[in-house]
Amino acid sequence: MTLTVERAVQAVKGPRELVTPEMFGVMVDDVVTFDKVTRPYAERGVEQFLVFMKAWGDTMAEVGGDPRAWVKFAPSPAVDKIWHRSMMRTRTFAAVCDMVAGRFMHHLPIMDEDIRSGAASERGLAAMRATGYRVDLEWWLDGESCCPENCAQPPMND
């Protein structure tokens, strides 16, 4: 007797499809130039940032864009660096936000128990997987938060 196991294979979309080749190239070039990393590293990082942005935009669309229903996602430290780098070129960043997330994606550095516990990261990872775009776990499972403990706290005065 012969048993055949059939699996449904779902095609995973490439994150580069989310933006124009020119936008992707500008984002990658900036990471390579300013962060002194290799092009393959920068390409993977930009791809993961785009998936993060898509997941956030999809989630915000589900709540009708209501800021009171904001859903917190926490990027990994490596993806947060890509986010910071991308924000430096404001026109490209704004266009990418509109194209990928459907709205401008502000960066709000905070640290709270939701982030400390890893819940915000897990929520984000689940939302990223739901987009159908490739999620590269090497960029997400480092066990750290994007924010240091004193993130968004007032500066200490002597």
Side-chain angles (χ1 to χ4, degrees):
M1 178 162 103
T2 304
L3 293 176
T4 304
V5 178
E6 291 184 35
R7 288 188 202 167
V9 177
Q10 181 181 4
V12 177
K13 298 178 276 188
R16 293 177 195 208
E17 299 171 12
L18 289 165
V19 294
T20 68
E22 294 78 19
M23 289 173 163
F24 186 79
V26 165
M27 293 172 76
V28 169
D29 288 346
D30 284 348
V31 173
V32 169
T33 300
F34 295 106
D35 294 334
K36 310 289 188 237
V37 297
T38 65
R39 181 159 294 282
Y41 177 90
E43 289 173 350
R44 288 176 57 215
V46 169
E47 286 178 349
Q48 293 308 292
F49 174 61
L50 292 171
V51 176
F52 177 80
M53 183 181 280
K54 172 73 172 142
W56 178 84
D58 289 354
T59 302
M60 289 303 290
E62 288 173 13
V63 298
D66 182 355
R68 294 168 299 178
W70 178 58
V71 177
K72 189 185 329 166
F73 293 170
S76 67
V79 173
D80 192 50
K81 286 181 183 178
I82 303 293
W83 191 350
H84 285 233
R85 182 60 59 214
S86 299
M87 288 187 301
M88 287 180 50
R89 195 175 296 268
T90 57
R91 286 190 179 118
T92 300
F93 183 70
V96 168
C97 286
D98 287 346
M99 185 177 283
V100 177
R103 67 190 73 244
F104 191 83
M105 188 173 174
H106 293 279
H107 187 282
L108 305 170
I110 58 173
M111 173 54 73
D112 61 14
E113 189 53 37
D114 190 45
I115 293 172
R116 236 182 254 101
S117 72
S121 295
E122 286 299 318
R123 195 168 36 254
L125 191 56
M128 287 185 292
R129 287 181 171 137
T131 67
Y133 288 92
R134 185 178 47 255
V135 176
D136 184 345
L137 291 179
E138 285 185 49
W139 285 82
W140 298 102
L141 300 180
D142 59 7
E144 292 185 29
S145 165
C146 64
C147 247
E149 280 299 314
N150 65 351
C151 199
Q153 300 299 319
M156 299 292 285
N157 294 327
D158 290 338

